[in-house]
Amino acid sequence: MSSTREKLITLLAKHSHTFVSGQWLSEQLNLSRTAVWKQIKQLKLDGYEFEATPNKGYRLVSTPDKISQNTIYWGLQTKWLGKPLQYYDELPSTQIHANQEAQAGASQGLVVVAERQTAGKGRLNRTWFSNNSGGLWFSFILRPTLLPTQAPQLTLLTATVLAEVIANKTNLQPSIKWPNDLLIGDKKVAGILTEMQAEQDGIHYLVIGIGLNINQGPEAFDDRVKNRATSLSIEAQKRFDKRDLLQAILTRFEYHYEHYLEYGFEQVKKNWESYGYRINQSITYVTRNQTHNGIIKGIAEDGALLVETKNKSVERLYSAEIAWFEEV
């Protein structure tokens, strides 16, 4: 997206209640009126509808349902996240592409969005079922001045942002299953993948990938996942605007990320624990080939899951086989 297109979208969004003249737009953008007309024509191809009246100019009538690079920019209230942005009808994986862009020097805030992924992935190289247009599949680049040991905090922060947006936009009650899954009830609706390039004393970049099931119906999930996965539409019995959800996620992430950098992890921890799946409930888990029982108490600042054992001591779990839904 060129800076000119971004400025045009911003101007039209601010004045969508009235007509704006081609002359005024050309002056604001330092373009010829012919160049402005070509930009408007491109927006029409994306599905925007305008009323054009001689001596008055252009007035936005409606925006398209289909998500695109232009529609994402329209009304996006962030300062730097999503600016720049890359949109693709199809990619193997937004995560792979964003990592390549980061390695090539892309700036913090680049967001890569795909309408569908042919090789979406989650943690531990698990497949993420995203070869459809029913969800949001996107990744973004961060370049924080943090130690590598703090990177798990950003996964936890991202989970709280998703939970907040889902709760506010859908009235559903999401929960966060440690460390990176969003659930509605006991079914997965979103996942987060955080990858980084770092040295011992600092992070070069982080790429955070998000997959969120939105408008898929039950038929969208194959036999491997249909009993474990769901979508916002299935749970709420209505469809949702993908653009609106993406813009809300980016806006809230930018706010919480900046708050975290200034004030630390304490508020993130509180937010996470307010959504934590099975907080204060008993679980069975396996570590070092031994089976244990304990009660989930929350998370530690380093991202570990805090579990109270039978002798009332608190154990930190960094990696464990946890029976979230049934006995191990």
Side-chain angles (χ1 to χ4, degrees):
M1 163 85 60
S2 67
S3 59
T4 298
R5 182 73 55 77
E6 181 182 345
K7 291 176 182 176
L8 175 60
I9 289 172
T10 300
L11 289 171
L12 292 169
K14 286 182 177 179
H15 299 86
S16 60
H17 61 286
T18 187
F19 285 92
V20 290
S21 71
Q23 181 62 38
W24 182 80
L25 288 171
S26 69
E27 291 171 356
Q28 296 297 311
L29 298 171
N30 195 27
L31 293 175
S32 68
R33 293 187 64 174
T34 300
V36 169
W37 177 81
K38 288 181 179 178
Q39 295 280 4
I40 294 288
K41 186 177 180 181
Q42 183 60 49
L43 291 176
K44 288 180 178 179
L45 291 175
D46 278 337
Y48 291 94
E49 294 184 8
F50 295 90
E51 184 178 354
T53 302
N55 301 320
K56 285 187 176 182
Y58 305 97
R59 184 177 71 85
L60 177 66
V61 175
S62 66
T63 59
D65 290 332
K66 184 180 182 295
I67 196 170
S68 71
Q69 196 164 3
N70 289 329
T71 61
I72 295 168
Y73 262 114
W74 195 281
L76 180 61
Q77 299 298 311
T78 59
K79 299 188 293 289
W80 53 267
L81 185 57
K83 302 175 180 179
L85 181 141
Q86 297 178 6
Y87 170 84
Y88 299 91
D89 286 327
E90 183 177 290
L91 278 178
S93 162
T94 63
Q95 194 74 358
I96 292 172
H97 187 84
N99 268 287
Q100 293 170 342
E101 291 289 317
Q103 290 166 13
S107 62
Q108 170 166 284
L110 171 65
V111 176
V112 178
V113 185
E115 185 73 5
R116 60 179 67 238
Q117 297 183 118
T118 57
K121 63 174 184 173
R123 288 179 69 244
L124 306 176
N125 286 319
R126 296 188 179 111
T127 300
W128 179 261
F129 183 69
S130 51
N131 193 6
N132 63 80
S133 60
L136 278 176
W137 328 118
F138 65 102
S139 301
F140 53 90
I141 297 171
L142 300 176
R143 296 187 182 273
T145 305
L146 297 172
L147 294 173
T149 54
Q150 294 174 284
Q153 295 180 345
L154 293 176
T155 301
L156 300 170
L157 184 155
T158 305
T160 66
V161 170
L162 286 179
E164 176 187 320
V165 171
I166 290 170
N168 289 341
K169 292 291 186 178
T170 71
N171 291 321
L172 297 169
Q173 298 298 316
S175 57
I176 306 170
K177 181 171 74 67
W178 180 83
N180 68 324
D181 289 341
L182 274 288
L183 307 181
I184 305 292
D186 291 328
K187 291 188 175 183
K188 183 173 179 177
V189 73
I192 301 160
L193 177 61
T194 302
E195 298 175 314
M196 69 174 172
Q197 186 178 88
E199 296 181 16
Q200 196 167 20
D201 59 347
I203 294 172
H204 294 304
Y205 67 80
L206 278 161
V207 174
I208 297 179
I210 294 173
L212 173 61
N213 296 332
I214 299 177
N215 289 325
Q216 297 98 328
E219 71 286 348
F221 302 107
D222 66 20
D223 291 340
R224 293 171 295 169
V225 299
K226 66 181 181 181
N227 293 323
R228 297 182 284 111
T230 190
S231 71
L232 300 180
S233 180
I234 291 171
E235 298 300 322
Q237 294 297 296
K238 60 181 289 189
R239 293 180 63 82
F240 294 96
D241 185 333
K242 292 200 305 181
R243 181 194 66 162
D244 181 51
L245 286 166
L246 177 58
Q247 289 179 338
I249 292 167
L250 296 179
T251 301
R252 294 310 295 166
F253 183 91
E254 183 180 270
Y255 170 81
H256 285 296
Y257 177 70
E258 292 180 346
H259 187 278
Y260 159 78
L261 291 179
E262 184 170 357
Y263 298 105
F265 187 65
E266 182 179 357
Q267 188 60 52
V268 177
K269 175 178 165 68
K270 289 179 181 177
N271 292 345
W272 194 99
E273 290 175 346
S274 71
Y275 290 109
Y277 182 63
R278 298 193 65 174
I279 289 279
N280 293 321
Q281 293 183 28
S282 178
I283 58 166
T284 301
Y285 59 98
V286 176
T287 58
R288 297 179 293 276
N289 295 319
Q290 293 186 338
T291 301
H292 309 272
N293 291 296
I295 297 173
I296 297 177
K297 304 306 291 184
I299 54 172
E301 286 210 355
D302 59 3
L305 187 68
L306 300 177
V307 177
E308 183 181 271
T309 63
K310 287 187 291 186
N311 62 10
K312 300 301 181 183
S313 65
V314 176
E315 181 177 4
R316 293 185 178 216
L317 298 186
Y318 295 95
S319 177
E321 182 182 350
I322 300 174
W324 290 107
F325 312 113
E326 58 187 26
E327 294 301 314
V328 173

